[in-house]
């Protein structure tokens, strides 16, 4: 391979890899796994002698999963304490809770680390695999990314049936009278439910499907009538993502702010609501001087890949709950290259896989 191809002379010549002739472009968007499109393109048939790729640089991705609860007060909430003996909230409200925090290192193309692979026309059996972003994923092996985790479906209370209210309810001339009739009906259904559960209900089914259906009906009626007084709530899952540039030194800052009534926001007055981000360097490659970097780049004449360093990232929520993870960070590591004799001819070609998120070498296996 070669140095970053800022000039034609810096292009990678794959005479070092005699077996590489075809090119497989795997158009695999990270955020849309279901829209995978794979296209095989052969060099020389398109007028191109090879394929270029980028090495990735790391970005720290923080994903917050929130549970949002929307409470809707009942139409008879003002009468709950008088008629049912227990007060109910009189107004609607929204609350948030942090359910999970995911910390990961993701790769984006480093435009300053671009390389080119040229193919020889003798053996049309080999190919290179790239992501849609142009990151190197494999040689002589296809790459299928892991599907993103399935997002949990929205959680919400099932729609309650209409309460079975007597005709007097419709004829009532005031809200207070309707509330009184609804309360009396609620107590009646509660009593019927208790009699059924204790086996004291007359002419009621004792077991089987009829019993289960009667039990379900009474429970639904109790719930729908209680909702008239105590209201109901809707729960749903939300997510917020933040991308943070890693550094060569430790850093501490507020990545966002959390409020139980507003969720995660970018700015609040109180520092007590800050979500703290702590970044600590664990391992880093020995830095090179500019002269040493130029000298090293001149020697990059193979397949160039990354050996990342390591950092620890912690997220501390306002209540003290801490999420911590060690992450590979390419900016803390070095660029190295594969042995130029790894593929001498078609018979001993191998499969080489890379991690496109970090540019790391994953495995070298015999080609089948």
């Amino acid at each position: 391979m070669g140095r970053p191809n800022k000039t034609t002379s810096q292009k990678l010549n794959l005479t070092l890899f005699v077996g590489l002739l075809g090119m497989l472009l795997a158009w695999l968007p990270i955020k849309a796994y279901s829209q995978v499109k794979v296209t095989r393109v052969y060099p020389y048939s398109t007028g191109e002698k090879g394929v270029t790729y980028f090495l990735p640089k790391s970005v720290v991705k923080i994903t917050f999963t929130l549970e949002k609860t929307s409470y809707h007060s009942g139409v008879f909430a003002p009468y709950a304490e008088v008629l049912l003996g227990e007060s109910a909230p009189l107004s609607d409200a929204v609350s948030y809770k942090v359910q999970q925090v995911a910390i990961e290192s993701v790769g984006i193309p480093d435009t300053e680390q671009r390389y080119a692979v040229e193919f020889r026309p003798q053996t049309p059996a080999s190919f290179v695999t790239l992501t849609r972003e142009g990151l190197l994923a494999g040689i002589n092996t296809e790459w299928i990314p892991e599907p993103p985790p399935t997002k949990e479906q929205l959680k919400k209370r099932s729609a309650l049936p209409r309460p079975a209210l007597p005709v007097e309810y419709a004829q009532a001339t005031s809200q207070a009278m309707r509330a009184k009739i609804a309360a009396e009906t609620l107590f009646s259904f509660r009593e019927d439910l208790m009699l059924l559960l204790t086996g004291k209900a007359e002419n009621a089914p004792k077991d089987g499907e009829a019993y289960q259906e009667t039990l379900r009906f009474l429970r639904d009626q109790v719930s729908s009538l209680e909702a008239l007084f105590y209201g109901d709530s809707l729960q749903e899952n939300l997510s917020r993502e933040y991308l943070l540039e890693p550094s060569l030194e430790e850093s501490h800052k507020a990545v966002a702010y959390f409020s139980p009534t507003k969720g995660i926001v970018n700015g609040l007055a109180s520092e007590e609501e800050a979500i703290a981000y702590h970044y600590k360097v664990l391992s880093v490659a020995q830095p090179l001087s500019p002269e040493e970097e130029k000298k090293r780049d001149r020697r990059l004449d193979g397949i160039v890949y990354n050996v990342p360093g390591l950092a620890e990232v912690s997220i501390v929520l306002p209540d003290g709950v801490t999420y911590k993870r060690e992450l590979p960070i390419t900016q803390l590591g070095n660029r190295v290259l594969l042995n130029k004799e790894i593929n001498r001819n078609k018979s001993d070609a191998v499969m080489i896989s890379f991690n496109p998120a970090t540019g790391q070498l994953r495995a070298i296996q015999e080609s089948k």
Side-chain angles (χ1 to χ4, degrees):
M1 178 125 328
R3 303 175 297 279
N5 65 339
K6 298 178 181 177
T7 67
T8 304
S9 63
Q10 292 173 315
K11 287 188 177 180
L12 170 68
N13 190 324
L14 246 212
T15 54
L16 313 172
F17 288 81
V18 177
L20 302 183
L21 196 278
M23 180 177 71
L24 177 65
L25 292 177
W27 297 97
L28 301 174
I30 293 176
K31 295 184 178 179
Y33 181 78
S34 61
Q35 299 177 1
V36 169
K37 180 181 180 182
V38 179
T39 305
R40 189 182 293 272
V41 180
Y42 293 93
Y44 305 106
S45 65
T46 61
E48 296 290 338
K49 292 185 177 181
V51 57
T52 61
Y53 70 90
F54 294 98
L55 288 182
K57 61 180 179 181
S58 299
V59 177
V60 178
K61 179 180 177 182
I62 311 296
T63 304
F64 297 92
T65 300
L66 305 175
E67 181 183 77
K68 176 184 177 182
T69 301
S70 302
Y71 170 78
H72 301 282
S73 63
V75 294
F76 298 141
Y79 306 96
E81 186 171 9
V82 174
L83 297 176
L84 302 181
E86 184 180 356
S87 62
L90 300 180
S91 59
D92 296 349
V94 177
S95 63
Y96 295 86
K97 180 181 179 181
V98 178
Q99 294 286 85
Q100 183 64 36
V101 179
I103 306 171
E104 57 185 319
S105 175
V106 298
I108 61 175
D110 186 346
T111 56
E112 295 183 357
Q113 301 300 327
R114 181 181 180 184
Y115 299 88
V117 179
E118 292 184 1
F119 299 90
R120 293 181 61 180
Q122 285 81 2
T123 52
S126 300
F127 58 87
V128 170
T129 305
L130 300 178
T131 70
R132 183 175 185 175
E133 293 79 14
L135 301 174
L136 182 63
I139 297 173
N140 290 342
T141 179
E142 296 184 4
W143 174 67
I144 300 178
E146 295 181 1
T150 303
K151 292 185 177 179
E152 188 177 348
Q153 296 296 319
L154 294 183
K155 299 182 298 181
K156 60 181 180 180
R157 184 174 180 176
S158 300
L160 295 172
R162 287 180 177 274
L165 292 163
V167 65
E168 291 80 9
Y169 179 86
Q171 296 173 346
T173 57
S174 69
Q175 187 81 336
M177 183 60 67
R178 283 191 288 270
K180 182 175 181 296
I181 295 172
E184 293 172 349
T185 307
L186 171 59
F187 284 122
S188 177
F189 277 120
R190 282 178 174 176
E191 182 179 1
D192 291 343
L193 178 60
M194 183 60 65
L195 291 174
L196 181 65
L197 291 173
T198 58
K200 298 178 181 180
E202 297 181 1
N203 302 320
K206 300 300 181 182
D207 52 28
E209 185 176 348
Y211 174 84
Q212 293 297 329
E213 186 62 32
T214 303
L215 185 63
R216 186 181 305 110
F217 170 78
L218 290 175
R219 283 175 170 168
D220 285 348
Q221 286 300 310
V222 168
S223 296
S224 60
L225 287 164
E226 286 179 341
L228 294 177
F229 293 89
Y230 300 116
D232 59 4
S233 61
L234 169 70
Q235 290 180 319
E236 55 185 320
N237 285 345
L238 308 174
S239 65
R240 291 288 302 273
E241 293 182 355
Y242 291 85
L243 297 179
L244 305 173
E245 286 281 351
S247 66
L248 299 179
E249 301 175 349
E250 295 186 11
S251 61
H252 308 276
K253 63 180 180 180
V255 65
Y257 296 84
F258 174 74
S259 166
T261 58
K262 297 180 181 179
I264 292 181
V265 296
N266 292 330
L268 288 175
S270 174
E271 288 299 323
E272 295 179 354
E273 298 172 312
I275 299 175
Y277 165 81
H278 302 287
Y279 173 86
K280 180 181 179 181
V281 176
L282 299 180
S283 66
V284 61
Q286 185 68 27
L288 301 177
S289 66
E291 293 75 16
E292 290 174 324
E293 287 187 355
K294 291 180 181 179
K295 185 177 179 180
R296 179 195 60 185
D297 288 346
R298 286 195 294 269
R299 296 197 303 266
L300 293 179
D301 58 352
I303 294 293
V304 183
Y305 64 96
N306 286 331
V307 177
L310 194 65
E312 180 184 85
V313 174
S314 302
I315 296 295
V316 183
L317 301 179
D319 59 3
V321 175
T322 301
Y323 295 83
K324 182 182 299 184
R325 189 175 180 188
E326 293 184 358
L327 301 176
I329 303 294
T330 61
Q331 293 89 317
L332 300 177
N334 266 331
R335 287 172 288 137
V336 295
L337 64 149
L338 291 178
N339 190 323
K340 64 182 180 180
E341 298 297 333
I342 196 168
N343 276 351
R344 294 184 294 276
N345 53 56
K346 181 179 178 180
S347 63
D348 67 359
V350 295
M351 298 186 299
I352 309 168
S353 60
F354 299 89
N355 182 346
T358 61
Q360 288 175 276
L361 177 67
R362 275 180 168 167
I364 300 178
Q365 300 171 295
E366 292 185 2
S367 178
K368 299 179 181 180

